Amino acid sequence: MATEKPRGLYYADYLQLERLLSSQRLRSGADGPPAHDEMLFIIVHQAYELWFKQILWELDAVLATFRKASVPEEELGQAILRLGRIVEIQRVLIQQVDVLETMTPLDFLDFRDLLIPASGFQSVQFRLIENELGMRRADRLQILDAPYTSRLSAEDAARVEASEKEPSLFDLVEDWLERTPFLHFGDFDFWREYRRAVETMLAADRASIRGNPTLTEDEKTRQLAGVESTAQRFAELFEPEPGEPATAGGRHFSRRALQAALLIHLYRDEPILHLPFRLLAILADIERNFTTWRQRHAQMAMRMIGTRIGTGGTSGSEYLGRAAERHRVFADLSALASFFIPRSALPKLPAEVRSRMGFRFGAP
Ligand code: HEM
């Protein structure tokens, strides 16, 4: 019988499998009957924490790129690949809920009370991800008038609080957007041209409804009211009340950053704007996936514990449902489509701007 390990690096040593695979300690079975499904419950949570670690690994690298005074073009592509990886990991995280849901509520009840007062609410890595993305304390739901860190150990709370003080991805992307050239370029003023194009588009929409012989007067009134509500949304974009956000939910970009995000989306076919467009699209994906996970997790909590309070003491699935609506960071990016106009209606870029935006190949 072989007792010696083969020469060289050994698989189990490299992956520290002894530690990893002896880290599942069931609480059931000690003073009462063992609960078969507790193993699944622990492993699924541990798998989540491992993926959270990988997300933070990617996020930290992306933050380092965006912390630079000006983001080097070649690093932008790398940052986009890393954020794309986060999107794929999120898909796994959402799917993993299905695995945990093979446990029935009754099987969960076999060991649930042994977990009190521990809860996913105390996941430090989850809080770090939220904060690094840009969630602010003031935007969080209040739980029993206590800060969200109140259920953490002093050491964990200090780590989470420290992450609030660092510039988040939201802050850094907002700065980067504000620095975008091309909003003003010589005589070209993107915002003025875009506003004009929107007004032309809305006027054409109204005229086409009024002149449509197939519509009854009632139908015309209804459709015109629809155009007016679109016009109202645009009006808010152009002339916001002080402090009033242009889009609903979560944090909001400064006006200048929002303008730049729109410019990037509308002119994304220009080579120089293509990578910035991919970045904004991926951030919107991350936002949507985060919300999807939150909704899925809230549904799972409802299925497992109904309307009971959570082991961490919140109102349970009711809290989780509200958090899914409220705890949002890049909501502006996912709501941007309301302000798109068709390519055919886009103001033409002056030749000089286009030439600056294009890739050129020529002798050095
Ligand atoms: C049987 C399965 C699960 C149930 C019934 C459940 C239930 C809950 C409840 C009720 C809360 C609210 C806090 C509280 O009062 O405890 C919560 C929070 C949380 N849970 Fe779960 N959970 C389950 C599985 C998971 C899994 C697998 C993860 C993965 C890490 C997870 C991560 C979290 C996180 C991060 C929070 C904080 C969410 C926030 O504050 O927005 N949960 N969970």
Side-chain angles (χ1 to χ4, degrees), residues 57-120:
W57 185 257
E58 306 301 344
L59 213 45
D60 285 341
V62 172
L63 285 168
T65 291
F66 276 87
R67 266 198 295 270
K68 297 189 174 166
S70 102
V71 178
E73 198 70 15
E74 59 278 13
E75 284 188 35
L76 190 59
Q78 188 67 273
I80 289 169
L81 286 173
R82 289 172 176 158
L83 290 170
R85 182 175 289 160
I86 292 180
V87 169
E88 293 307 325
I89 293 172
Q90 285 179 311
R91 295 202 172 117
V92 173
L93 297 187
I94 293 165
Q95 247 190 351
Q96 225 163 239
V97 173
D98 293 334
V99 181
L100 190 51
E101 279 191 333
T102 59
M103 172 177 79
T104 67
L106 264 188
D107 292 326
F108 184 38
L109 278 181
D110 283 345
F111 62 93
R112 178 185 186 246
D113 287 352
L114 303 173
L115 311 177
I116 295 170
S119 163

Side-chain angles (χ1 to χ4, degrees), residues 143-163:
I143 304 300
L144 306 173
D145 284 336
Y148 72 105
T149 47
S150 64
R151 280 149 226 234
L152 298 181
S153 70
E155 191 188 334
D156 286 346
R159 204 172 149 210
V160 170
E161 278 154 16
S163 74

Side-chain angles (χ1 to χ4, degrees), residues 45 48 119-121 126-127 294 297 300 310-314 316 319:
H45 277 81
Y48 267 103
S119 163
F121 199 75
F126 184 79
R127 298 303 177 210
R294 286 183 196 276
H297 172 252
M300 173 175 61
T311 49
T314 74
Y319 158 76

